[in-house]
Amino acid sequence: MQWRNSQGGYGAAAQIVHWFSVLLVGVAWTLGTVGEDLPRGGARELGEQIHVSAGELIAILLIIRIGWRLIDPPPPPEPTPLGSLGDVAARIVHLALYALLAAVVAFGVATQFADGDSLSLLGIADIASPWIKDKSFAHDMKEIHEALANGLIILAMIHAGSALVHHFVFRDRTLSRMAPRFSKSG
Ligand code: HEM
Ligand code: HEM
């Protein structure tokens, strides 16, 4: 298994972080969206715990990914008929995805603290809220958290759609070099 990126594609480290983050975003967004429909009590509390833990794992992976990216830069983009305009657009989308991941988590934490609630760190430890409960501030933080989370999902869908266009229309290796099979064959 090749851990580092190469000129030809993403190594296992970048791929694992990418696909595990995708899974966690799916879990966090689904539980955030349907969480209030869960029956009050144990089920809802478990849903909230998983929601917050998924967000915390996303933050940990984000820090690992950004650090790893500095010592192991991504492979150059595959050439497409769109030329450098397409490459710049893809870079902006990647940057925006990173920024949105960080912002969603930050406003999630702010929502929790503004509610006066402590933040459970992966169910292992608790950080008490440094703020006094403020209902209207908490409501604003939650609205922003939700809007950013929905924005993240929309942008991720555009991003995934572009990966599919690369694969099926341009017929290049953009998607396959982010797919696990690459590290075995390459
Ligand atoms: C440490 C990370 C996170 C924390 C502490 C957090 C915290 C919260 C809190 C306290 C709520 C309000 C629950 C309620 O009172 O009803 C919430 C709702 C929500 N969260 Fe998160 N969250 C985090 C990460 C995420 C992530 C990564 C996503 C999505 C990618 C996300 C998406 C949502 C959504 C869609 C809602 C529903 C908003 C609504 O309809 O009211 N959260 N979150
Ligand atoms: C929540 C969902 C997603 C997020 C947050 C996300 C985020 C990212 C980020 C930040 C990068 C840049 C990696 C780097 O070089 O540092 C990337 C690359 C990539 N992603 Fe995603 N992604 C998501 C979902 C998907 C899905 C569903 C697909 C496939 C259908 C996909 C396919 C790719 C591919 C092929 C690349 C490499 C692009 C290139 O070589 O320029 N992603 N993704």
Short mmCIF file of all heavy atoms in Angstrom, two decimals, residues 107-108 110-111 114 131 136-146:
data_model
loop_
_atom_site.label_atom_id
_atom_site.label_comp_id
_atom_site.label_asym_id
_atom_site.label_seq_id
_atom_site.Cartn_x
_atom_site.Cartn_y
_atom_site.Cartn_z
N PHE A 107 -19.65 26.47 14.57
CA PHE A 107 -20.98 26.97 14.94
C PHE A 107 -21.80 25.91 15.69
O PHE A 107 -22.69 26.25 16.47
CB PHE A 107 -21.73 27.50 13.71
CG PHE A 107 -21.31 28.90 13.36
CD1 PHE A 107 -20.33 29.14 12.41
CD2 PHE A 107 -21.87 30.00 14.01
CE1 PHE A 107 -19.91 30.43 12.11
CE2 PHE A 107 -21.46 31.30 13.72
CZ PHE A 107 -20.48 31.51 12.76
N GLY A 108 -21.47 24.62 15.46
CA GLY A 108 -22.11 23.55 16.25
C GLY A 108 -21.71 23.68 17.71
O GLY A 108 -22.56 23.63 18.61
N ALA A 110 -20.60 26.38 19.13
CA ALA A 110 -21.18 27.64 19.63
C ALA A 110 -22.65 27.44 20.01
O ALA A 110 -23.12 27.98 21.02
CB ALA A 110 -21.04 28.74 18.58
N THR A 111 -23.38 26.64 19.20
CA THR A 111 -24.80 26.36 19.50
C THR A 111 -24.92 25.68 20.86
O THR A 111 -25.74 26.06 21.71
CB THR A 111 -25.41 25.44 18.42
OG1 THR A 111 -25.18 26.01 17.14
CG2 THR A 111 -26.90 25.24 18.64
N ALA A 114 -23.92 28.13 23.69
CA ALA A 114 -24.90 29.20 23.87
C ALA A 114 -26.15 28.69 24.59
O ALA A 114 -26.84 29.44 25.29
CB ALA A 114 -25.27 29.80 22.51
N TRP A 131 -20.14 30.05 28.53
CA TRP A 131 -21.13 31.11 28.37
C TRP A 131 -22.36 30.87 29.23
O TRP A 131 -22.72 29.72 29.49
CB TRP A 131 -21.59 31.22 26.90
CG TRP A 131 -20.50 31.54 25.93
CD1 TRP A 131 -19.34 32.21 26.21
CD2 TRP A 131 -20.45 31.21 24.53
NE1 TRP A 131 -18.57 32.31 25.07
CE2 TRP A 131 -19.22 31.73 24.02
CE3 TRP A 131 -21.31 30.55 23.66
CZ2 TRP A 131 -18.85 31.58 22.68
CZ3 TRP A 131 -20.94 30.41 22.32
CH2 TRP A 131 -19.73 30.92 21.85
N SER A 136 -31.82 33.43 22.69
CA SER A 136 -31.90 34.04 21.36
C SER A 136 -30.55 33.90 20.62
O SER A 136 -30.52 33.64 19.41
CB SER A 136 -32.38 35.48 21.48
OG SER A 136 -31.46 36.37 21.01
N PHE A 137 -29.43 34.02 21.37
CA PHE A 137 -28.10 33.82 20.77
C PHE A 137 -27.97 32.36 20.29
O PHE A 137 -27.49 32.10 19.18
CB PHE A 137 -27.02 34.16 21.80
CG PHE A 137 -25.60 34.02 21.31
CD1 PHE A 137 -25.17 34.68 20.16
CD2 PHE A 137 -24.69 33.22 22.00
CE1 PHE A 137 -23.86 34.54 19.71
CE2 PHE A 137 -23.37 33.08 21.54
CZ PHE A 137 -22.97 33.74 20.40
N ALA A 138 -28.45 31.41 21.12
CA ALA A 138 -28.38 29.99 20.77
C ALA A 138 -29.19 29.73 19.50
O ALA A 138 -28.76 28.99 18.61
CB ALA A 138 -28.90 29.14 21.92
N HIS A 139 -30.35 30.39 19.40
CA HIS A 139 -31.19 30.22 18.21
C HIS A 139 -30.45 30.71 16.96
O HIS A 139 -30.43 30.04 15.93
CB HIS A 139 -32.51 30.98 18.40
CG HIS A 139 -33.39 30.93 17.20
ND1 HIS A 139 -33.45 31.94 16.27
CD2 HIS A 139 -34.22 29.95 16.75
CE1 HIS A 139 -34.28 31.59 15.30
NE2 HIS A 139 -34.76 30.40 15.57
N ASP A 140 -29.78 31.89 17.07
CA ASP A 140 -29.03 32.42 15.93
C ASP A 140 -27.89 31.48 15.53
O ASP A 140 -27.65 31.23 14.35
CB ASP A 140 -28.45 33.80 16.26
CG ASP A 140 -29.54 34.85 16.40
OD1 ASP A 140 -30.68 34.55 16.02
OD2 ASP A 140 -29.25 35.96 16.90
N MET A 141 -27.16 30.99 16.56
CA MET A 141 -26.03 30.08 16.28
C MET A 141 -26.52 28.81 15.57
O MET A 141 -25.90 28.32 14.64
CB MET A 141 -25.31 29.68 17.58
CG MET A 141 -24.56 30.80 18.26
SD MET A 141 -23.25 31.47 17.20
CE MET A 141 -23.99 32.99 16.66
N LYS A 142 -27.69 28.30 16.03
CA LYS A 142 -28.24 27.08 15.44
C LYS A 142 -28.66 27.32 13.99
O LYS A 142 -28.42 26.47 13.13
CB LYS A 142 -29.44 26.61 16.28
CG LYS A 142 -30.00 25.30 15.83
CD LYS A 142 -30.99 24.74 16.83
CE LYS A 142 -32.22 24.24 16.14
NZ LYS A 142 -33.17 23.62 17.04
N GLU A 143 -29.26 28.50 13.73
CA GLU A 143 -29.67 28.83 12.35
C GLU A 143 -28.45 28.87 11.43
O GLU A 143 -28.48 28.36 10.31
CB GLU A 143 -30.39 30.19 12.31
CG GLU A 143 -31.75 30.19 12.97
CD GLU A 143 -32.78 29.39 12.18
OE1 GLU A 143 -32.92 29.63 10.98
OE2 GLU A 143 -33.41 28.49 12.78
N ILE A 144 -27.36 29.51 11.92
CA ILE A 144 -26.13 29.62 11.10
C ILE A 144 -25.53 28.22 10.91
O ILE A 144 -25.13 27.85 9.80
CB ILE A 144 -25.11 30.59 11.75
CG1 ILE A 144 -25.69 32.00 11.83
CG2 ILE A 144 -23.80 30.61 10.96
CD1 ILE A 144 -24.85 33.00 12.61
N HIS A 145 -25.49 27.44 12.01
CA HIS A 145 -24.95 26.07 11.95
C HIS A 145 -25.71 25.26 10.90
O HIS A 145 -25.10 24.58 10.06
CB HIS A 145 -25.11 25.45 13.35
CG HIS A 145 -24.65 24.02 13.48
ND1 HIS A 145 -23.37 23.62 13.21
CD2 HIS A 145 -25.32 22.90 13.88
CE1 HIS A 145 -23.27 22.31 13.43
NE2 HIS A 145 -24.44 21.85 13.84
N GLU A 146 -27.02 25.36 10.92
CA GLU A 146 -27.85 24.61 9.98
C GLU A 146 -27.64 25.08 8.54
O GLU A 146 -27.47 24.26 7.63
CB GLU A 146 -29.33 24.77 10.36
CG GLU A 146 -30.25 23.92 9.51
CD GLU A 146 -31.73 24.20 9.78
OE1 GLU A 146 -32.04 25.21 10.44
OE2 GLU A 146 -32.55 23.42 9.31
#
